[in-house]
C-alpha cells in the first residue's frame, strides 16, 4: 500500500467516526427534547383537567384518580410510556396546581 492509500484509509475512518458521533449526539439531543416536551405536555394536561374539575379535587379521591387517569391516557395517546414514578409525579403536580388555584382564589 502506498502513502496515498493510508491517507484515504485514515480519511475513511475519520468520516465513519464523525457519522457515528453525529448520530449519537443527535439521539441524545432529541431524547432530551422529548423529555422536555413530555414534562410540558403533562403539566398543561394537568392544568386543563384540574380547571375542568371542581375545587375540592384533592379531598375527593375518585375525582383525583379520574384526573390522573385522564392525564395518563392523554400522554399515552401521544406516544409516551408512563411509569409508576411518572404517575406519582403527576399526582404531586395536580396537588400543586390545586394549591396554586386555591391561593389565587383567596388572593382575588
Amino acid at each position: 500500500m502506498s502513502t496515498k492509500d493510508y491517507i484515504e484509509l485514515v480519511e475513511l475512518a475519520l468520516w465513519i467516526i464523525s457519522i457515528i458521533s453525529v448520530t449519537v449526539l443527535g439521539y441524545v439531543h432529541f431524547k432530551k427534547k422529548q423529555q422536555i416536551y413530555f414534562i410540558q405536555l403533562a403539566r398543561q394536561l394537568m392544568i386543563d383537567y384540574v380547571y375542568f374539575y371542581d375545587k375540592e379535587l384533592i379531598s375527593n379521591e375518585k375525582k383525583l384518580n379520574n384526573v390522573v387517569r385522564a392525564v395518563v391516557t392523554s400522554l399515552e395517546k401521544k406516544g409516551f410510556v408512563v411509569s409508576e414514578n411518572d404517575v406519582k409525579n403527576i399526582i404531586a403536580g395536580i396537588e400543586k396546581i390545586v394549591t396554586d388555584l386555591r391561593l389565587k382564589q383567596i388572593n382575588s
Side-chain angles (χ1 to χ4, degrees), residues 71-84:
V71 170
V72 169
T73 302
S74 296
L75 288 171
E76 287 174 344
K77 283 182 182 178
K78 295 280 185 176
F80 293 104
V81 177
V82 182
S83 66
E84 277 297 315

Side-chain angles (χ1 to χ4, degrees), residues 44-58:
Q44 187 58 44
L45 286 169
M46 286 185 287
I47 290 171
D48 292 345
Y49 283 110
V50 165
Y51 282 117
F52 180 72
Y53 286 93
D54 65 5
K55 300 171 216 160
E56 299 177 12
L57 178 69
I58 298 301

Side-chain angles (χ1 to χ4, degrees), residues 26-40 80:
Y27 175 76
V28 170
H29 175 73
F30 288 119
K31 181 147 179 100
K32 182 172 177 133
K33 273 191 165 188
Q34 185 180 18
Q35 289 172 342
I36 291 171
Y37 178 66
F38 175 84
I39 292 169
Q40 291 172 343
F80 293 104

Side-chain angles (χ1 to χ4, degrees), residues 60-75:
N60 190 337
E61 193 70 29
K62 184 178 178 184
K63 289 182 182 179
L64 178 63
N65 288 337
N66 287 341
V67 171
V68 171
R69 200 172 314 120
V71 170
V72 169
T73 302
S74 296
L75 288 171

Side-chain angles (χ1 to χ4, degrees), residues 2-3 7 18-19 25 30 32 47 54 65 68 76 93 98 102:
S2 67
T3 308
I7 292 173
S18 67
I19 294 294
L25 290 175
F30 288 119
K32 182 172 177 133
I47 290 171
D54 65 5
N65 288 337
V68 171
E76 287 174 344
V98 169
R102 288 183 181 165

